[in-house]
Amino acid sequence: GIQVEQSPPDLILQEGANSTLRCNFSDSVNNLQWFHQNPWGQLINLFYIPSGTKQNGRLSATTVATERYSLLYISSSQTTDSGVYFCAVLNYGGSQGNLIFGKGTKLSVKP
Amino acid sequence: DVKVTQSSRYLVKRTGEKVFLECVQDMDHENMFWYRQDPGLGLRLIYFSYDVKMKEKGDIPEGYSVSREKKERFSLILESASTNQTSMYLCASSLVGGGTQYFGPGTRLLVL
């Protein structure tokens, strides 16, 4: 099946710094989502981005489907950005909305 | 806004007990999902349902069953709980065709 790899696995930033998280996937996809899991376990939707670029405040994401990767940019990081960021993809030909998750990037933002 | 709710945030059960985890969504989504999340293993799909009374096995269905009698409600059942089912359980829903999935707050289950 499709493989999803995220990097880096862990990231420590000083408040105010910028960062880029990467998601590589091994096959064509028709759905890619970025999530933030907060310290209480809640998965929060950040972006639905099978291709192109989207921005939402300090966060933006770019997916280059032909090259099978997606990037999540966090600018001017804040301590509330801490948590785990997941990329998840839906493979072409997969059953109804069956997402496959990467292992996540654990982000710690220090004050 | 889509709202997905789960019946409990924390549960403690004994080995051999029958456990019910319930999930309700309020956006008339056709698809509903149950995942478990474990350290080092990420999120793995247990079961999903694309319509009332319809279900499909995910990657790790062993030891679990599901029920979907109404469109808005999807239940995960542990017929006889075991310690290796101690985990975080997450429910999600989406429209038909694989659109954005929305997650509930999760249930942390401890089986003693």
Side-chain angles (χ1 to χ4, degrees):
Chain A
I2 192 169
Q3 304 296 315
V4 181
E5 293 185 358
Q6 292 186 242
S7 59
D10 294 280
L11 184 59
I12 300 174
L13 296 176
Q14 206 64 37
E15 199 169 26
N18 303 328
S19 62
T20 301
L21 282 57
R22 187 176 180 101
C23 173
N24 293 331
F25 42 94
S26 61
D27 205 345
S28 300
V29 298
N30 59 3
N31 178 347
L32 188 144
Q33 290 184 245
W34 283 98
F35 296 90
H36 175 216
Q37 189 168 39
N38 65 23
W40 295 272
Q42 173 81 56
L43 274 169
I44 299 163
N45 286 287
L46 297 177
F47 296 101
Y48 171 81
I49 186 165
S51 64
T53 297
K54 291 186 177 179
Q55 181 156 6
N56 184 3
R58 296 182 296 103
L59 273 60
S60 64
T62 295
T63 297
V64 183
T66 53
E67 297 186 21
R68 300 180 184 171
Y69 73 89
S70 183
L71 302 173
L72 178 68
Y73 306 95
I74 304 173
S75 64
S76 303
S77 59
Q78 301 175 357
T79 55
T80 52
D81 295 332
S82 296
V84 183
Y85 289 80
F86 289 100
C87 166
V89 303
L90 172 66
N91 194 15
Y92 275 111
S95 298
Q96 300 262 1
N98 199 21
L99 285 178
I100 299 166
F101 283 79
K103 295 288 177 65
T105 292
K106 184 176 181 180
L107 174 64
S108 299
V109 181
K110 305 296 185 185
Chain B
D1 278 353
V2 176
K3 190 171 183 182
V4 181
T5 58
Q6 296 183 226
S7 50
S8 305
R9 293 300 303 272
Y10 300 94
L11 271 181
V12 180
K13 296 293 181 182
R14 296 283 180 188
T15 302
E17 280 193 76
K18 191 169 187 176
V19 181
F20 292 87
L21 303 182
E22 291 209 320
C23 174
V24 178
Q25 51 93 5
D26 67 357
M27 284 301 291
D28 203 35
H29 284 172
E30 291 84 3
N31 295 341
M32 295 188 75
F33 309 84
W34 276 106
Y35 296 87
R36 66 177 280 177
Q37 183 178 21
D38 301 287
L41 297 176
L43 277 89
R44 295 177 291 167
L45 182 68
I46 304 171
Y47 269 98
F48 69 99
S49 167
Y50 51 91
D51 201 351
V52 175
K53 297 191 185 295
M54 306 303 288
K55 62 185 180 185
E56 283 197 26
K57 294 180 180 179
D59 299 321
I60 49 164
E62 297 79 17
Y64 302 94
S65 62
V66 289
S67 172
R68 194 163 179 204
E69 296 296 320
K70 294 184 178 182
K71 190 175 185 180
E72 68 271 18
R73 190 180 298 270
F74 191 35
S75 300
L76 180 69
I77 303 156
L78 287 65
E79 295 289 343
S80 178
S82 63
T83 55
N84 63 12
Q85 292 179 309
T86 291
S87 188
M88 171 73 139
Y89 290 88
L90 291 155
C91 173
S93 71
S94 75
L95 290 169
V96 67
T100 304
Q101 284 193 20
Y102 297 89
F103 281 79
T107 296
R108 294 187 187 274
L109 173 66
L110 173 62
V111 182
L112 300 173

